Amino acid sequence: KHLSNPLWEKERQRDQLPANYKLLDVLKENQFGASYLVSEPKRQQWLVVKKQQLAYEGNAYKTATELAKLAHPYIATIHGTARNERVFIVVMEYVAGGSLQERLTQAFSLDRWLILAQQLCEALHVVHELGLLHGNLRPSNVLVESATHIKLPDFGFDDHSVGLGVGSGVDWYQPLYEE
């Protein structure tokens, strides 16, 4: 069953996203952009559509376009990118295990942490060899595919607090209405 969301429908049509993308969940929506979980019948899988205002693009569009050519076990697969006068869009695989941030509430054995750290370093090394950077690595964008397998998304994004102004009261990472 898909979710009805007027903003998604308006933006899907305006940004020419495929009509067969069915909205399953709004993962994040704010003044900087949005992330949507969609089903895509052709591939018979769930995908994440990330839309970012151009003002906060950093090198994300260029980096995502380059990484769309790459298949790596520790880097989230990018299925496509697009850009218009308002936003850039990245369509990537959905990793169902959540983020490392969500998992940090649990104790990790040293052996398990070393496995994940090695994967993280390998992914970053491969991307650095291509002359690209992650730009804003943090636990919330280290995705957990299984207890011993991570995937990295969101390469090329700037630190989203840059350009917002010190003391502006705007915090990209703080969920609305939550401490």
Side-chain angles (χ1 to χ4, degrees), residues 91-178:
V91 178
M92 59 178 266
E93 76 173 299
Y94 171 66
V95 180
S99 71
L100 182 60
Q101 179 175 325
E102 296 161 345
R103 300 291 179 105
L104 288 175
T105 60
Q106 306 164 2
F108 278 57
S109 70
L110 179 58
D111 289 342
R112 181 175 171 206
W113 173 244
L114 289 175
I115 290 169
L116 300 178
Q118 183 177 10
Q119 293 172 13
L120 181 72
C121 291
E122 185 178 326
L124 291 172
H125 175 74
V126 166
V127 173
H128 290 178
E129 289 289 308
L130 297 173
L132 304 171
L133 297 174
H134 192 284
N136 196 15
L137 189 61
R138 59 194 190 280
S140 63
N141 62 21
V142 175
L143 302 178
V144 179
E145 186 165 75
S146 72
T148 57
H149 188 167
I150 57 105
K151 288 201 172 206
L152 292 182
D154 301 340
F155 284 87
F157 286 90
D158 284 340
D159 176 348
H160 300 302
S161 62
V162 172
L164 297 178
V166 175
S168 69
V170 177
D171 185 349
W172 170 271
Y173 306 110
Q174 186 67 42
L176 287 177
Y177 314 112
E178 291 184 26

Side-chain angles (χ1 to χ4, degrees), residues 4-132:
S4 176
N5 180 302
L7 180 60
W8 161 259
E9 287 304 321
K10 179 178 144 191
E11 289 187 357
R12 186 191 58 73
Q13 292 171 10
R14 181 175 54 190
D15 295 329
Q16 299 177 346
L17 292 170
N20 64 346
Y21 280 18
K22 301 298 181 201
L23 182 64
L24 300 174
D25 198 4
V26 177
L27 303 174
K28 187 166 197 165
E29 225 173 39
N30 59 31
Q31 71 268 31
F32 305 106
S35 295
Y36 301 107
L37 177 62
V38 302
S39 66
E40 200 276 281
K42 182 178 173 188
R43 289 190 182 103
Q44 294 186 341
Q45 63 184 1
W46 291 358
L47 301 172
V48 174
V49 174
K50 291 190 172 205
K51 300 173 77 169
Q52 184 85 18
Q53 299 292 326
L54 291 183
Y56 303 98
E57 175 181 6
N59 289 319
Y61 176 74
K62 174 184 172 265
T63 301
T65 302
E66 288 298 313
L67 291 180
K69 303 170 192 171
L70 179 71
H72 191 276
Y74 309 131
I75 297 173
T77 302
I78 297 173
H79 296 290
T81 59
R83 192 170 195 245
N84 60 35
E85 67 283 350
R86 297 175 311 96
V87 297
F88 74 93
I89 300 165
V90 176
V91 178
M92 59 178 266
E93 76 173 299
Y94 171 66
V95 180
S99 71
L100 182 60
Q101 179 175 325
E102 296 161 345
R103 300 291 179 105
L104 288 175
T105 60
Q106 306 164 2
F108 278 57
S109 70
L110 179 58
D111 289 342
R112 181 175 171 206
W113 173 244
L114 289 175
I115 290 169
L116 300 178
Q118 183 177 10
Q119 293 172 13
L120 181 72
C121 291
E122 185 178 326
L124 291 172
H125 175 74
V126 166
V127 173
H128 290 178
E129 289 289 308
L130 297 173
L132 304 171

